[in-house]
Amino acid sequence: MANILLERTVPLPLDEAWRRITRWRRHGEVVPLTAVRVVPPEPTRQGTVVVARSGIGPLSFDDPMEVTVWQPPEDGVPGLCRLEKRGRVVLGWAELEVRPGPGGRTRVVWREEIRIRLLPSLLDGVVRRSSRYVFGRALNRLLRSP
């Protein structure tokens, strides 16, 4: 099991940072070899399932994630989204949080626990490093684009 923590401080209001990191289809545009669909379609709420399809051809797999916590930021109160991974290949959870940061900026936190079924724990370090790289780039791109 690999644990990942990504943190960014951005010059955006809480609600705008939240909107940018929870536009699920946009995740598919910034993560290589990935397409994202949402069931049911927007708006997101508890029980929504976000399905990331990753890979190429026969080497593709679905990574369904159910939204189990959906608390958008409101009146300066932090926002939190928790997704539980429900797939046959990728297991674990992810949390996306926005909270007030220094100087009127927003602190964005992405926490994730990821396990690839049938992959030995000996390779957790590789999963951690590659996930931090891919998700870190994705988070940067999500926060930069309106």
Side-chain angles (χ1 to χ4, degrees):
M1 175 173 343
N3 292 301
I4 300 153
L5 174 64
L6 302 168
E7 297 180 275
R8 305 290 188 269
T9 301
V10 294
L12 297 169
L14 282 176
D15 59 341
E16 179 60 17
W18 177 263
R19 185 186 70 78
R20 291 183 187 193
I21 66 171
T22 60
R23 285 186 304 170
W24 307 121
R25 291 186 197 280
R26 182 80 175 109
H27 283 244
E29 296 170 14
V30 300
V31 176
L33 306 174
T34 301
V36 175
R37 71 181 192 278
V38 181
V39 182
E42 308 290 337
T44 300
R45 58 190 168 275
Q46 190 171 334
T48 295
V49 177
V50 178
V51 181
R53 179 139 183 99
S54 300
I56 300 174
L59 299 177
S60 296
F61 62 92
D62 285 342
D63 178 12
M65 297 164 274
E66 181 181 350
V67 175
T68 58
V69 175
W70 181 256
Q71 299 170 341
E74 191 174 339
D75 299 325
V77 175
L80 177 66
C81 175
R82 181 175 174 97
L83 302 120
E84 297 283 340
K85 296 176 175 287
R86 307 276 196 224
R88 289 183 279 173
V89 177
V90 183
L91 305 169
W93 53 265
E95 289 182 345
L96 304 173
E97 180 182 7
V98 296
R99 60 181 181 234
R105 297 161 54 106
T106 294
R107 188 75 175 157
V108 178
V109 180
W110 178 323
R111 287 183 281 289
E112 187 148 350
E113 181 178 282
I114 187 169
R115 184 167 64 87
I116 311 297
R117 191 182 304 267
L118 302 179
L119 198 64
S121 60
L122 177 67
L123 296 175
D124 284 350
V126 173
V127 172
R128 183 178 302 106
R129 285 187 298 281
S130 60
S131 296
R132 279 185 53 82
Y133 176 77
V134 170
F135 297 149
R137 283 178 49 102
L139 181 58
N140 292 343
R141 293 170 95 186
L142 290 167
L143 289 168
R144 276 196 304 263
S145 60

